[in-house]
Amino acid sequence: MIQDPTIWRAVFTGTTPLHLIAAVTQSLADRTPIPRDPSRIPGLARDRMTVHTHHLPAPDIVFALERRVSTLAARHRPATTATPPPHGPSPRRTR
């Protein structure tokens, strides 16, 4: 029997972007509870955490979903670029 099995592991190599390492590290250090479906938590992980469930009113869930979708959509919108100035005749040198 395995005494202390590894539930998951992250491996960063020398080519892993620093911003990705920083984001993962920050997420791991965040003490905010993570909402999860209790039926989808693996047994090994369930033994190492506290699970609390509570019901939320449907309007709260709809609002949260709409806000999340808007946030994700805004993140994936192409950046608007300024239109380049019209091409005119090239300036001539004078003597």
Side-chain angles (χ1 to χ4, degrees), residues 36-93:
R36 296 281 185 246
D37 179 357
S39 65
R40 298 194 65 185
I41 298 172
L44 292 173
R46 206 175 303 124
D47 296 341
R48 290 170 172 71
M49 65 178 66
T50 303
V51 177
H52 299 279
T53 60
H54 61 278
H55 296 280
L56 297 172
D60 291 353
I61 295 171
V62 170
F63 174 74
L65 178 61
E66 288 172 350
R67 186 175 59 201
R68 180 69 176 150
V69 169
S70 297
T71 302
L72 289 173
R75 190 186 320 176
H76 295 289
R77 272 190 210 125
T80 56
T81 57
T83 56
H87 294 288
S90 42
R92 297 186 175 219
R93 296 172 101 188

Side-chain angles (χ1 to χ4, degrees), residues 1-59:
M1 181 172 169
I2 300 172
Q3 294 295 325
D4 190 19
T6 301
I7 295 172
W8 67 274
R9 177 181 303 165
V11 177
F12 300 111
T13 65
T15 60
T16 303
L18 292 178
H19 71 275
L20 180 60
I21 296 171
V24 170
T25 305
Q26 184 178 12
S27 295
L28 291 173
D30 189 354
R31 297 191 60 87
T32 306
I34 302 171
R36 296 281 185 246
D37 179 357
S39 65
R40 298 194 65 185
I41 298 172
L44 292 173
R46 206 175 303 124
D47 296 341
R48 290 170 172 71
M49 65 178 66
T50 303
V51 177
H52 299 279
T53 60
H54 61 278
H55 296 280
L56 297 172

